[in-house]
Amino acid sequence: MTSIPMRSRRRPVDRPRVEALTRQLLLALGEDPDRDGLKDTPRRFADWWGEFLDHEPDRLDTSFEASQYGDFVLLTGIEAWSVCEHHLLPFRLDVSIAYVPDTAVLGLSKLVRHLEVHTHALQIQERITHDVAHDLAKAVGTDDVAVFTVGEHLCMSMRGVKAATVRTTTTCRLGRTESDPDLATRIERLALPGRT
């Protein structure tokens, strides 16, 4: 029971080039990249992009037999960060993941690692929510999966409308987490407390 997430293949971050371009950006912004506070900024910035985009989530497939388990598994309070592909600004997600095990349960940390596969990229919240749900459905061997994300986007808070308190909620429900009203309601009450 393994999942191979559909992550687009891209070249690794070219850190020396990012460092040189960051130096040029600082100059274009009217800054002196050789002053004390900024002299190591291009290197640190390049290192951060390399760590973020070249991130490898480790094993995704650890599962345990669960033939006697009859209800859903729900993980809440998962915090994840990604970068908006439209503005290159960070966004923070509070994520809840639920599924109904069939014959096996996935190791809890693997739920978070499936999320990491999609957040360590230039992204949009809607795609993360959709792709994590579909990848987990493959990994756990059942379509009974739901993913809820509540996002705070710096591209909304810091620029444009500057709506600092706005949160964006996206959901992807598959199988019985969508078609069974009782199951859907129980999961949503726990995944999005105060919103139902």
Side-chain angles (χ1 to χ4, degrees), residues 18-160:
V18 172
E19 187 172 340
L21 290 169
T22 304
R23 184 176 171 77
Q24 291 301 309
L25 175 63
L26 290 170
L27 288 167
L29 294 174
E31 290 287 350
D32 175 5
D34 294 318
R35 74 173 169 84
D36 282 344
L38 292 177
K39 63 183 169 187
D40 288 329
T41 297
R43 178 194 51 78
R44 286 191 298 263
F45 189 67
D47 286 348
W48 179 83
W49 277 107
E51 291 165 13
F52 182 75
L53 292 175
D54 296 338
H55 174 78
E56 291 296 328
D58 203 7
R59 291 194 56 170
L60 298 171
D61 62 350
T62 304
S63 61
F64 307 95
E65 188 175 332
S67 58
Q68 300 301 312
Y69 195 76
D71 208 355
F72 61 86
V73 174
L74 173 66
L75 222 60
T76 63
I78 307 166
E79 182 179 75
W81 286 86
S82 193
V83 175
C84 168
E85 67 182 21
H86 301 138
H87 302 99
L88 295 183
L89 288 172
F91 61 95
R92 188 181 68 77
L93 299 174
D94 289 320
V95 182
S96 296
I97 298 171
Y99 73 98
V100 180
D102 185 18
T103 58
V105 293
L106 198 61
L108 295 177
S109 66
K110 305 314 177 259
L111 299 174
V112 177
R113 287 187 176 141
H114 275 275
L115 175 65
E116 288 179 346
V117 166
H118 296 286
T119 57
H120 283 264
L122 300 180
Q123 269 289 16
I124 61 173
Q125 179 177 338
E126 297 87 342
R127 185 184 312 128
I128 291 169
T129 306
H130 174 273
D131 290 352
V132 169
H134 286 270
D135 282 351
L136 284 173
K138 291 177 197 163
V140 298
T142 175
D143 284 338
D144 302 330
V145 173
V147 176
F148 304 84
T149 61
V150 179
E152 175 186 359
H153 297 253
L154 293 188
C155 57
M156 284 278 289
S157 303
M158 293 181 66
R159 58 163 297 283

Side-chain angles (χ1 to χ4, degrees), residues 133-188:
H134 286 270
D135 282 351
L136 284 173
K138 291 177 197 163
V140 298
T142 175
D143 284 338
D144 302 330
V145 173
V147 176
F148 304 84
T149 61
V150 179
E152 175 186 359
H153 297 253
L154 293 188
C155 57
M156 284 278 289
S157 303
M158 293 181 66
R159 58 163 297 283
V161 296
K162 296 186 175 114
T165 60
V166 170
R167 300 295 178 266
T168 303
T169 301
T170 56
T171 64
C172 185
R173 303 168 211 232
L174 307 174
R176 289 188 300 136
T177 69
E178 180 182 31
S179 64
D180 179 333
D182 177 58
L183 179 65
T185 300
R186 289 189 304 125
I187 289 173
E188 187 168 330

